[in-house]
Amino acid sequence: MFSLWSTLIPLILGCALVPVQSLATILLLQSEDGRRKATAWVIGMTSARVVQGLLFALLLHTSAAIAQDVDDGPGAVASFVLLLVAMTMLLSALGAALRHEDPDAPPPRWLGVVDRISPANAFGIGTAMIVLSVKFWVFTVGAVTAIAGAGLPLPERVLTFALFIVLGESTLIALLAIGLVSPARAKPLLDRIVAWLTAKNRVLVMTLGTAFGIWFLVKALHGLGVLT
């Protein structure tokens, strides 16, 4: 169980602390009909993650490569996936250090016209953000692989993946709750969060990408027998 959550927790934090998602949620909340749009946006991302999880769970169910006791460490498939996660995070950190544009950021053109986006459009954009992002695909594959390799009964696997989704979106859910409960009172707080995220976006991506990238790289190399 420790091995499972030592993999899931960094993935959860990686999902929850992506600055551009929080910025987009706040901008949608502050737009016209913002509560419906922001809710649709979060539901769109959640739906995409559920479909990704089901798809990869089905694929991994047929693979005997990860059907092993959790105490034996990650198998070849799981270790390769962790290596992909590590490379993805380290490349994100490098991109931020070199001031490259974030490939996972929503298109600038719709961020500038959030008032004209309908809830249906927001749902589609939220879905597309997860589906079109290599980073989020890799995160989901990493989570599903870790859960499948832990040897849990099916109900516990489903519950664990549901927790992965909810905790991975906890920042967005918290922002959404703030906006839904008291939009007028929430505006000053949301404005301060926007200013902080805008100022710290590059530092956050660099710090999280480097720390978690190294963590997963070590786990992957250990699982592949490169490190002992």
Side-chain angles (χ1 to χ4, degrees), residues 2-223:
F2 172 78
S3 178
L4 171 60
W5 283 99
S6 70
T7 298
L8 290 183
I9 289 174
L11 290 174
I12 288 168
L13 292 175
C15 292
L17 299 178
V18 175
V20 293
Q21 289 185 130
S22 298
L23 286 170
T25 303
I26 294 171
L27 290 175
L28 286 169
L29 278 169
Q30 295 179 332
S31 66
E32 183 180 349
D33 197 18
R35 287 182 289 181
R36 290 179 62 205
K37 293 177 186 177
T39 301
W41 153 262
V42 174
I43 291 174
M45 287 189 286
T46 304
S47 301
R49 285 191 166 108
V50 169
V51 172
Q52 285 179 336
L54 290 173
L55 173 63
F56 282 104
L58 180 63
L59 291 174
L60 291 176
H61 180 69
T62 62
S63 174
I66 61 170
Q68 58 179 314
D69 188 90
V70 66
D71 295 330
D72 292 335
V77 173
S79 297
F80 179 71
V81 170
L82 291 181
L83 187 60
L84 286 178
V85 173
M87 292 299 99
T88 300
M89 288 187 161
L90 290 172
L91 286 173
S92 294
L94 179 61
L98 296 176
R99 298 182 180 274
H100 290 171
E101 184 178 347
D102 188 348
D104 300 312
R109 61 181 178 275
W110 80 263
L111 289 176
V113 293
V114 289
D115 285 331
R116 290 179 292 190
I117 293 175
S118 68
N121 293 147
F123 176 89
I125 293 170
T127 302
M129 183 176 184
I130 300 299
V131 171
L132 299 178
S133 168
V134 173
K135 181 190 298 182
F136 291 125
W137 275 100
V138 172
F139 283 2
T140 302
V141 175
V144 173
T145 304
I147 294 168
L152 300 174
L154 180 58
E156 291 186 30
R157 284 188 233 171
V158 174
L159 178 59
T160 303
F161 185 69
L163 281 173
F164 165 75
I165 293 177
V166 172
L167 294 175
E169 295 182 356
S170 57
T171 304
L172 308 184
I173 294 171
L175 291 171
L176 189 58
I178 292 171
L180 291 175
V181 171
S182 181
R185 293 182 180 179
K187 189 178 187 309
L189 174 60
L190 295 177
D191 286 341
R192 288 196 295 272
I193 294 174
V194 167
W196 188 85
L197 287 173
T198 301
K200 303 297 184 181
N201 176 63
R202 192 169 70 90
V203 174
L204 283 171
V205 174
M206 288 173 55
T207 303
L208 293 173
T210 301
F212 294 151
I214 292 173
W215 171 255
F216 284 121
L217 181 61
V218 171
K219 284 178 69 73
L221 294 178
H222 176 71

